[in-house]
RNA sequence: GAGCCGCUAGCUCAGUCGGUAGAGCAUCUGCCUUUUAAGCAGGUGGCCCCGGGUUCGAGUCCCGGGCGGCUCACCA
């Protein structure tokens, strides 16, 4: 909409009575020469520090010391007594009460009377304890630092409308402390992982998000266009092929924590952009990564929860290692009445899959059919952390073949609550084999599999320069955070999840 | 993409059988100088998501659409 089409700011439709009343207070203060948005107030203390230092201090101790503080924060509650008021200030997630009395600081009181819930203010004064023993600042000076024009969500119920919480996440974070906690935990989780890998000699890198050929996973990409280059580019679906180029380059251990983009469905488990950790270690195998994964994640769970046991949506999960291991084949045999010959005979696999009610296109590869069967009969059964190993060759075009059974690869997926948390394999570093795998993928692409991997000549060329034997792994950070914060939806661990409009 | 559910005041929610649209909090006015969802009295505030239809009359019934949630499908 053009500016001219809009009614003036003050009278714009949809503005609440509160909004207008606050604008009037702004005007009244402007008339008195009070700046509603000054930037020269420097708080010397934080609410958290004051609580930590004096939260336990006795009344006599406070009075003897005469502790003066200056803090800033958002007014979250006002209890007004006419000529004195208690206000709750929220500062960086911590709260501290302040007491504003007319006779102590008449000027301050005059400004305060034109402040509202949600305004950000700065106060100075001495600490004391109220009758009910609450640590409180007796306000000597009071300044408005930023006027809020909208009322806060209701103080008791908070903001519960899910859509409003996602669209106006700042309000959600402001008034729902448990939401703030989720994102603080997310930060701690990512930091732990960074520190863990860094301490093992991994270097953190950033590789392209805009890629000419989207590779490293099977997924539908977002397409975009670069004007100056005059070419189509894709938002990455995985960083894998670039990280392996770095292993070729001589960085023996690299990792990246960053966004991937997949143009697919949205659900409680899927957001179009999501955060992935990928790490690659030269001279390691997928077996080494099993050990590393157990150590990293069980350590992480202990770090975040103080124990390796967590409760996720009513289910007890035990992360103390070692975790269960089972091959795709054994998992199918264990949880279905499949006969062993479905693994050697494509037609039998298809017949069995159809018997399960799976609709699989005729062109599908044998291995893909087996994975469909696995996902249907076995995957949901793995609640406790479990490594699923030895995936079919043709669903793993970037993995190294198993030395004993050439129909499977040296790969594992980590399942928790029946959901994939990690995916790792010994990397394919034979450029001839890699080219053949890509060619096989292109054939499947031609047969109608839009997610089959594309040929990436530049990547093969890098392998042709020699990549050391390497193992690599990807861990979905959002899903890991969901587990560790007991979140049912991925949107609860993403600050601004994808929404329409 | 399909099925189910939701959308009413700034927020949280009622709204019966189709008959003048409600409460609590917030806000405004008055009283109140130790409150803890402070209290008391009084007031303001509505595109009932949007568009059609049925009806004397629609927040309510019917049809279509929008946005969101959950489940399923796809995917990590």
């Amino acid at each position: 909409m053009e500016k001219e089409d809009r009614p003036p700011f003050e009278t714009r439709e949809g503005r609440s009575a509160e909004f207008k009343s606050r604008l009037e207070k702004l005007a009244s203060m402007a008339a008195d020469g009070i700046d509603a948005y000054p930037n020269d107030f420097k708080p010397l203390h934080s609410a958290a520090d004051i609580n930590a230092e004096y939260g336990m201090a006795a009344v006599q101790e406070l009075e003897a010391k005469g502790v003066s503080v200056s803090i800033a924060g958002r007014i979250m509650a006002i209890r007004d007594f006419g000529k004195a008021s208690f206000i709750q200030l929220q500062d960086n997630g911590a709260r501290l009460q302040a007491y504003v009395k007319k006779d102590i600081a008449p000027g301050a009181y005059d400004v305060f009377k034109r402040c509202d819930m949600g305004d950000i203010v700065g106060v100075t004064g001495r600490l004391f304890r109220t009758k009910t023993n609450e640590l409180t600042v007796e306000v000597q000076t009071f300044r408005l630092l930023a006027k809020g024009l909208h009322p806060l969500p209701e103080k008791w119920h908070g903001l519960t409308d899910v859509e409003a919480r996602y669209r106006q996440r700042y309000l959600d974070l402001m008034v729902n402390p448990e939401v703030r906690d989720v994102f603080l935990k997310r930060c701690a989780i990512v930091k732990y992982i960074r520190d863990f890998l860094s301490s093992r000699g991994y270097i953190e890198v950033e590789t392209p998000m805009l890629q000419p050929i989207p590779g490293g996973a099977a997924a539908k990409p977002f397409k975009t266009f670069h004007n100056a280059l005059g070419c189509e580019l894709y938002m990455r679906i995985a960083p894998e092929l670039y990280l392996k180029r770095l292993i070729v380059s001589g960085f023996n251990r690299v990792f990246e924590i960053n966004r991937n983009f997949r143009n697919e469905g949205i659900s409680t488990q899927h957001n179009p952009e999501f955060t992935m950790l990928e790490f690659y270690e030269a001279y390691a195998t997928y077996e080494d990564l099993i050990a590393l994964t157990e150590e990293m994640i069980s350590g992480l769970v202990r770090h975040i929860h103080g124990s390796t046991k967590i409760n996720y949506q009513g289910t007890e999960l035990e992360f103390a290692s070692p975790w269960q291991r089972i091959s795709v084949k054994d998992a199918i045999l264990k949880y279905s009445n499949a006969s062993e010959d479905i693994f050697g005979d494509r037609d039998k696999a298809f017949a069995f899959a159809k018997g399960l009610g799976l609709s699989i296109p005729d062109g599908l590869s044998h291995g893909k059919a087996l994975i469909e069967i696995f996902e249907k009969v076995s995957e949901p059964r793995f609640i406790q952390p479990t490594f699923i190993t030895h995936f079919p060759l043709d669903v793993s075009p970037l993995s190294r073949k198993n030395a004993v059974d050439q129909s499977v690869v040296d790969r594992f997926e980590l399942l928790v609550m029946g959901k994939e948390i990690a995916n790792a394999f010994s990397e394919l570093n034979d450029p001839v084999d890699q080219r053949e795998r890509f060619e096989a993928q292109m054939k499947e692409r031609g047969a109608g599999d839009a997610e089959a991997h594309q040929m990436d000549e530049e990547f093969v060329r890098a392998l042709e320069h020699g990549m050391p034997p390497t193992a690599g792994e990807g861990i979905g950070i959002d899903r890991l955070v969901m587990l560790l914060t007991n979140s049912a939806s991925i949107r609860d661990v993403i600050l601004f999840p994808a929404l329409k409009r």
Side-chain angles (χ1 to χ4, degrees):
Chain A
M1 205 202 300
E2 293 299 317
K3 255 186 190 164
E4 292 74 33
D5 298 338
R6 288 183 172 181
F9 187 64
E10 306 77 27
T11 60
R12 199 181 295 167
E13 270 183 78
R15 296 301 191 188
S16 62
E18 286 90 335
F19 190 90
K20 286 167 186 155
S21 142
R22 287 169 184 230
L23 281 177
E24 281 162 19
K25 288 175 182 169
L26 265 187
S28 147
M29 283 189 282
D32 290 349
I34 299 166
D35 181 0
Y37 299 95
N39 70 347
D40 61 328
F41 182 86
K42 303 287 182 200
L44 300 175
H45 309 89
S46 72
D49 288 347
I50 291 168
N51 284 329
E53 200 169 347
Y54 301 104
M56 295 295 156
V59 179
Q60 298 85 343
E61 187 194 339
L62 285 176
E63 279 173 5
K65 278 188 179 164
V67 183
S68 284
V69 297
S70 85
I71 77 158
R74 189 184 298 277
I75 300 177
M76 300 304 286
I78 299 175
R79 288 182 281 272
D80 181 11
F81 288 84
K83 294 183 188 68
S85 295
F86 289 97
I87 61 178
Q88 289 284 336
L89 295 185
Q90 182 165 282
D91 170 28
N92 203 25
R95 285 198 183 195
L96 185 63
Q97 180 168 268
Y99 187 45
V100 197
K101 282 205 289 191
K102 192 172 186 177
D103 54 3
I104 296 279
Y109 203 73
D110 180 54
V111 176
F112 162 71
K113 287 305 271 182
R114 283 175 283 185
C115 287
D116 294 290
M117 297 237 288
D119 290 359
I120 295 168
V121 301
V123 303
T124 64
R126 245 191 272 283
L127 290 176
F128 75 106
R129 281 191 183 282
T130 63
K131 271 186 199 164
T132 51
N133 211 36
E134 179 157 351
L135 188 65
T136 302
V137 183
E138 185 171 66
V139 172
Q140 275 143 5
T141 69
F142 182 101
R143 292 187 68 189
L144 173 61
L145 304 182
K147 184 76 187 167
L149 296 175
H150 291 286
L152 288 178
E154 207 244 6
K155 63 186 170 188
W156 189 242
H157 300 93
L159 187 69
T160 62
D161 180 76
V162 180
E163 184 172 357
R165 287 183 43 228
Y166 295 153
R167 290 192 194 278
Q168 292 182 275
R169 182 70 94 179
Y170 51 91
L171 285 179
D172 192 24
L173 290 163
M174 202 184 286
V175 302
N176 295 326
E178 67 283 3
V179 175
R180 183 183 166 96
D181 287 344
V182 165
F183 291 100
L184 290 177
K185 244 179 207 172
R186 182 177 175 127
C187 173
I189 289 165
V190 171
K191 178 175 161 40
Y192 182 93
I193 291 171
R194 278 211 162 88
D195 292 347
F196 179 91
L197 291 172
S198 299
S199 73
R200 291 174 161 245
Y202 280 80
I203 65 158
E204 182 169 8
V205 298
E206 288 160 281
T207 62
M209 304 275 219
L210 293 172
Q211 303 181 349
I213 299 173
K220 295 185 198 83
F222 288 93
K223 191 188 275 193
T224 186
F225 186 82
H226 190 281
N227 291 339
L229 292 177
C231 70
E232 281 181 346
L233 290 170
Y234 297 85
M235 308 292 284
R236 77 174 184 197
I237 55 176
E240 170 148 355
L241 302 187
Y242 287 91
L243 291 171
K244 282 200 263 198
R245 283 164 165 92
L246 293 176
I247 295 292
V248 170
S249 81
F251 288 122
N252 281 3
R253 295 180 180 193
V254 295
F255 76 98
E256 177 164 7
I257 298 175
N258 227 321
R259 230 68 65 79
N260 288 346
F261 306 87
R262 298 190 184 174
N263 205 342
E264 289 161 355
I266 294 181
S267 75
T268 51
Q269 310 291 318
H270 302 86
N271 196 62
E273 52 180 309
F274 62 101
T275 302
M276 186 80 135
L277 160 69
E278 282 202 14
F279 55 96
Y280 291 81
E281 177 168 332
Y283 311 110
T285 67
Y286 83 111
E287 295 272 1
D288 298 319
L289 294 189
I290 284 183
L292 182 146
T293 303
E294 283 177 340
E295 185 183 340
M296 179 166 74
I297 295 186
S298 65
L300 170 66
V301 172
R302 201 178 297 112
H303 175 70
I304 297 293
H305 275 274
S307 144
T308 53
K309 268 199 186 66
I310 63 173
N311 183 295
Y312 182 74
Q313 305 288 305
T315 303
E316 283 287 324
L317 296 173
E318 173 57 81
F319 283 88
S321 59
W323 303 337
Q324 195 192 162
R325 299 183 196 186
I326 188 169
S327 68
V328 170
K329 180 176 173 178
D330 289 344
I332 291 175
L333 293 174
K334 182 172 179 184
Y335 290 112
S336 75
N337 57 359
S339 63
E340 263 203 57
D341 50 15
I342 68 166
F343 299 99
D345 185 326
R346 181 173 178 275
D347 291 340
K348 288 196 169 134
F350 269 61
F352 184 72
K354 281 178 183 147
L356 291 171
L358 291 166
S359 63
I360 47 175
D362 291 337
L364 212 65
S365 71
H366 185 196
K368 250 198 164 156
L370 291 174
I371 284 301
E372 295 276 343
I373 293 168
F374 167 78
E375 285 174 357
K376 169 92 177 180
V377 303
S378 315
E379 197 169 59
R381 314 295 283 267
F382 296 108
I383 302 303
Q384 297 299 322
T386 304
F387 293 108
I388 308 296
T389 63
H390 298 100
F391 281 67
L393 178 78
D394 50 50
V395 297
S396 316
L398 303 165
S399 313
R400 181 187 185 90
K401 279 177 198 156
N402 184 264
V404 178
D405 179 354
Q406 299 272 301
S407 74
V408 298
V409 295
D410 286 346
R411 170 179 169 188
F412 72 78
E413 279 190 7
L414 170 63
L415 299 186
V416 182
M417 291 298 294
K419 301 282 180 347
E420 182 187 337
I421 299 298
N423 178 22
F425 37 87
S426 296
E427 303 295 339
L428 175 57
N429 65 341
D430 174 343
V432 177
D433 189 356
Q434 181 67 78
R435 184 181 299 281
E436 286 166 6
R437 304 274 198 102
F438 277 153
E439 278 161 0
Q441 288 287 309
M442 291 307 279
K443 215 171 274 172
E444 288 189 33
R445 191 165 253 275
D449 183 354
E451 293 185 4
H453 212 291
Q454 294 184 50
M455 171 64 74
D456 189 334
E457 287 288 353
E458 290 296 317
F459 172 65
V460 174
R461 184 183 168 89
L463 290 189
E464 286 167 359
H465 283 88
M467 181 172 83
T470 297
E473 177 164 344
I475 296 181
I477 295 296
D478 311 275
R479 289 188 177 176
L480 191 58
V481 175
M482 284 170 69
L483 286 175
L484 290 172
T485 57
N486 195 19
S487 299
S489 170
I490 198 169
R491 290 178 212 106
D492 294 328
V493 301
I494 291 175
L495 282 167
F496 300 99
L499 293 175
K500 247 187 175 178
R501 191 177 53 171

